[in-house]
Amino acid sequence: QVQLQQSGAELVRPGVSVKISCKGSGYTFTDYAMHWVKQSHAKSLEWIGVISTYYGDASYNQKFKGKATMTVDKSSSTAYMELARLTSEDSAIYYCASLAGTGYAMDYWGQGTSVTVSS
Amino acid sequence: DIQMNQSPSSLSASLGDTITITCHASQNINVWLSWYQQKPGNIPKLLIYKASNLHTGVPSRFSGSGSGTGFTLTISSLQPEDIATYYCQQGQSYPWTFGGGTKLEIK
């Protein structure tokens, strides 16, 4: 079955960077792009961007340009997202999501990675 | 960016009721509209894609309709397990955007 396994929770100091991983299994990883979504505490969902798992090119929400950098490692079926120069505004749960089922919507989600920025 | 205006932001209904959540897009998104359910402490779960297509395993009491700029999610015969927050999301163009969510509670 399709699974997206994300890396564990992070507690980081302001100003540093953090890199989250998302490993896909149960499907051909390079057949579907990987999306990333942010959910701040008790808030709605924000689409960060999408990366082609085959070509490695990415499209970003303008709001997250310079903040998020998405990469992929096809050999390990893993997508990564690095968040730079962290502030308290970046404290949130970050999800990876794939369209591996329907091909039209985010039907498979990782379990989420909590990032807490605190001094 | 395409704005997604979702209403109501919260809703209280009784078991067995039929409820409707609406989502209005700021421009034409054809049928590129999905609905997600997120229960407290859980990840979002896809319910409806392409405006009216029920995702695999989703109970038939959930239904979606609409096209262009106006969309609805209907839940008939409300069940206790339907307590959740529901989000619409447009997939017409990047950046994909979500509605603000509708928190559903049982009276």
Side-chain angles (χ1 to χ4, degrees), chain A:
Chain A
Q1 71 281 22
V2 175
Q3 287 190 341
L4 300 178
Q5 182 65 38
Q6 295 186 229
S7 49
E10 301 272 4
L11 172 59
V12 295
R13 304 284 191 208
V16 304
S17 299
V18 69
K19 195 170 186 177
I20 300 167
S21 66
C22 171
K23 182 175 177 59
S25 62
Y27 71 106
T28 302
F29 182 74
T30 51
D31 279 354
Y32 298 94
M34 192 69 74
H35 296 255
W36 291 90
V37 175
K38 176 183 180 182
Q39 186 166 36
S40 304
H41 179 64
K43 288 190 178 178
S44 184
L45 302 161
E46 290 182 281
W47 183 83
I48 297 171
V50 58
I51 185 165
S52 166
T53 51
Y54 188 84
Y55 295 107
D57 56 319
S59 293
Y60 294 90
N61 184 335
Q62 184 68 32
K63 178 180 178 180
F64 293 94
K65 279 188 177 179
K67 170 62 66 177
T69 302
M70 296 177 286
T71 55
V72 293
D73 177 0
K74 291 191 289 186
S75 67
S76 63
S77 298
T78 303
Y80 299 91
M81 181 176 67
E82 184 170 16
L83 300 169
R85 300 178 304 281
L86 292 166
T87 72
S88 59
E89 294 297 307
D90 299 314
S91 292
I93 297 175
Y94 293 87
Y95 296 101
C96 59
S98 171
L99 281 63
T102 64
Y104 297 106
M106 293 178 282
D107 40 24
Y108 290 99
W109 293 65
Q111 82 275 24
T113 296
S114 174
V115 174
T116 303
V117 183
S118 174
S119 56

Side-chain angles (χ1 to χ4, degrees), chain B residues 7-21:
Chain B
S7 63
S9 57
S10 64
L11 178 57
S12 181
S14 300
L15 295 177
D17 280 356
T18 294
I19 66 99
T20 298
I21 298 169

Side-chain angles (χ1 to χ4, degrees), chain B residues 18-35:
Chain B
T18 294
I19 66 99
T20 298
I21 298 169
T22 64
C23 195
H24 180 82
S26 61
Q27 59 187 266
N28 183 4
I29 61 170
N30 298 293
V31 293
W32 299 110
L33 191 284
S34 302
W35 290 97

